[in-house]
Amino acid sequence: MDEESEPIQPQDQSCWATLPDVCLRRVFWWLGDRDRSRAALVCRKWNQMMYSADLWRYRTITFSGRPSRVHASEFESALWYVKKFGRYLEHLEIKFLNPYNAVLTKKFQVTMRGLLSCLGKSNNRLKSLSIQHLELDRLVWRNSIRSSLIKSLSFFLKKMGKHLDYLSLKGARLTVEQGCHVLNSLSYLRNESMASELNIEDYFSHHLAVYSSPQFNKTMATFHNLVSLTLNYNCISDELLENLGENNASTLWTMNIKCHIHDPHGQVVWGMSWAKLARQANNLKVNFFFERVMKYERLARILLQEIPVRSISLRSCYFSDPDWSMRPTLMDLLPTFRHTLQKLTFEFNNNHESLDEELHLLILNCRKLFYFKIWAFLDVRFVERILKSQEEGQCALRTLKVRIYTNRYETNEEDRTLREIYRRYRKLIDSELNYFVIAYPMM
């Protein structure tokens, strides 16, 4: 400072200098890692703010599966983050997007080994871990790489399992032996796991009849605090339902069950097993998601009347089968659950049959239904009929999403009619509905 300069008075300082910690912490919360690092160099107070636990509790680490200079530093920065701030982590999500070759899977495996090792040493507060869509049955995962990754993950879960409340390994695609080995790590030394939410959808490879595996049922018997369980129907058996009733009756609220056409789903599960579980876990609600499993005979074997079904999703994508009819399912099967059904999602190609009347009756029968979504060949006036029923109090929808398939490239006529319907029921729609309706050329 030269002789003519005057010292800066407090009132002349920037307002940032006196910003309360709670406000400054919020500003830092919105910044990315690079900007946070730069801001930490401004002054001592801001540097201390950089190490606030609130900033680092939630973390999503994304690794690109494609070789690129832009993504080259992802692996190094992930390790840097865990070493620097891993002790604050409570919720961690890791994504590895469509690995391109074995070089990248090897790099990911080595990075994960270091990341999980460092986290296991410094962290004792991790509550939630999500590592989804690894697809370890793909050829880009060589046996040695896959085995090393499973070993690192299992060792980590043995150490951190007692803290974890939520675990998602959706899409891991493991063998039954590998999958059970990883899940058993959660109950290491205690013979039981206290995780409350478990997502093992597509956790096992396609075509595996997991329901017949004694090893899987023994593994699931170690879970004693489940509130939510997400899995595939090829895992469901009478023994699994019995284990859930014995060990999780007071906690189990939700089961999400996916049934895919390529997964074995012909096993016999008795209605009395579902009835017993429903009595024991009296708050249980079951949500079914069917992928290309559309035929009435198959659905009727799975959707037993004893199941407390809350939600059903039936998707056939764009596949069409002239020998298949949706009408028996809409008229005979789904009304069985009219007292419990709250959500319905349909996506199918019914170009060979009209279902407007059946769908309308189903909505009117399900008095608790509040969510209805459908992509199908429908008459535009179907939407008007639903809105009229809503206006008259015959149904109580809160969400209505409709994609009306047409066999023409141009949808001008349908669009015009839909605009007229919206104008006519605008007051109802704006006040009561999450509403999305569109005509879509199916060519």
Side-chain angles (χ1 to χ4, degrees), residues 73 141 308 334 352 360 383:
S73 63
W141 293 96
L334 297 187
H352 57 285
H360 186 209
V383 177

mmCIF file of all heavy atoms in Angstrom, residues 73 141 308 334 352 360 383:
data_model
loop_
_atom_site.group_PDB
_atom_site.id
_atom_site.type_symbol
_atom_site.label_atom_id
_atom_site.label_comp_id
_atom_site.label_asym_id
_atom_site.label_seq_id
_atom_site.Cartn_x
_atom_site.Cartn_y
_atom_site.Cartn_z
ATOM 1 N N SER A 73 -9.726 -38.102 -17.852
ATOM 2 C CA SER A 73 -9.429 -37.776 -16.450
ATOM 3 C C SER A 73 -10.507 -38.248 -15.483
ATOM 4 O O SER A 73 -10.376 -38.053 -14.269
ATOM 5 C CB SER A 73 -9.243 -36.260 -16.302
ATOM 6 O OG SER A 73 -10.451 -35.584 -16.627
ATOM 7 N N TRP A 141 -16.211 -57.890 -20.637
ATOM 8 C CA TRP A 141 -15.743 -58.207 -19.286
ATOM 9 C C TRP A 141 -15.056 -59.572 -19.319
ATOM 10 O O TRP A 141 -15.700 -60.617 -19.293
ATOM 11 C CB TRP A 141 -16.908 -58.239 -18.299
ATOM 12 C CG TRP A 141 -17.548 -56.918 -18.058
ATOM 13 C CD1 TRP A 141 -18.658 -56.413 -18.671
ATOM 14 C CD2 TRP A 141 -17.129 -55.931 -17.120
ATOM 15 N NE1 TRP A 141 -18.958 -55.173 -18.186
ATOM 16 C CE2 TRP A 141 -18.034 -54.842 -17.219
ATOM 17 C CE3 TRP A 141 -16.076 -55.846 -16.196
ATOM 18 C CZ2 TRP A 141 -17.929 -53.698 -16.447
ATOM 19 C CZ3 TRP A 141 -15.967 -54.713 -15.418
ATOM 20 C CH2 TRP A 141 -16.875 -53.654 -15.539
ATOM 21 N N PRO A 308 -51.671 -58.516 -3.257
ATOM 22 C CA PRO A 308 -52.141 -57.132 -3.065
ATOM 23 C C PRO A 308 -51.510 -56.198 -4.102
ATOM 24 O O PRO A 308 -50.587 -55.434 -3.800
ATOM 25 C CB PRO A 308 -51.684 -56.801 -1.638
ATOM 26 C CG PRO A 308 -50.472 -57.649 -1.422
ATOM 27 C CD PRO A 308 -50.705 -58.915 -2.201
ATOM 28 N N LEU A 334 -57.604 -58.246 -15.052
ATOM 29 C CA LEU A 334 -57.278 -57.033 -14.301
ATOM 30 C C LEU A 334 -58.399 -56.570 -13.361
ATOM 31 O O LEU A 334 -58.102 -56.045 -12.280
ATOM 32 C CB LEU A 334 -56.879 -55.908 -15.261
ATOM 33 C CG LEU A 334 -55.612 -56.172 -16.095
ATOM 34 C CD1 LEU A 334 -55.216 -54.924 -16.881
ATOM 35 C CD2 LEU A 334 -54.458 -56.624 -15.204
ATOM 36 N N HIS A 352 -54.918 -54.749 -34.551
ATOM 37 C CA HIS A 352 -55.865 -55.745 -35.040
ATOM 38 C C HIS A 352 -57.162 -55.802 -34.233
ATOM 39 O O HIS A 352 -58.063 -56.557 -34.583
ATOM 40 C CB HIS A 352 -55.207 -57.129 -35.038
ATOM 41 C CG HIS A 352 -54.687 -57.521 -33.690
ATOM 42 N ND1 HIS A 352 -53.533 -56.975 -33.154
ATOM 43 C CD2 HIS A 352 -55.152 -58.398 -32.760
ATOM 44 C CE1 HIS A 352 -53.315 -57.510 -31.966
ATOM 45 N NE2 HIS A 352 -54.283 -58.376 -31.695
ATOM 46 N N HIS A 360 -62.119 -48.238 -21.054
ATOM 47 C CA HIS A 360 -62.968 -47.300 -20.325
ATOM 48 C C HIS A 360 -63.649 -47.989 -19.138
ATOM 49 O O HIS A 360 -63.683 -47.462 -18.013
ATOM 50 C CB HIS A 360 -64.008 -46.710 -21.281
ATOM 51 C CG HIS A 360 -64.833 -45.638 -20.662
ATOM 52 N ND1 HIS A 360 -66.136 -45.374 -21.044
ATOM 53 C CD2 HIS A 360 -64.558 -44.759 -19.655
ATOM 54 C CE1 HIS A 360 -66.618 -44.391 -20.306
ATOM 55 N NE2 HIS A 360 -65.672 -43.992 -19.471
ATOM 56 N N VAL A 383 -60.373 -40.248 -25.247
ATOM 57 C CA VAL A 383 -59.932 -39.263 -24.270
ATOM 58 C C VAL A 383 -61.119 -38.454 -23.753
ATOM 59 O O VAL A 383 -61.238 -38.189 -22.545
ATOM 60 C CB VAL A 383 -58.870 -38.322 -24.889
ATOM 61 C CG1 VAL A 383 -58.457 -37.238 -23.897
ATOM 62 C CG2 VAL A 383 -57.664 -39.117 -25.350
#
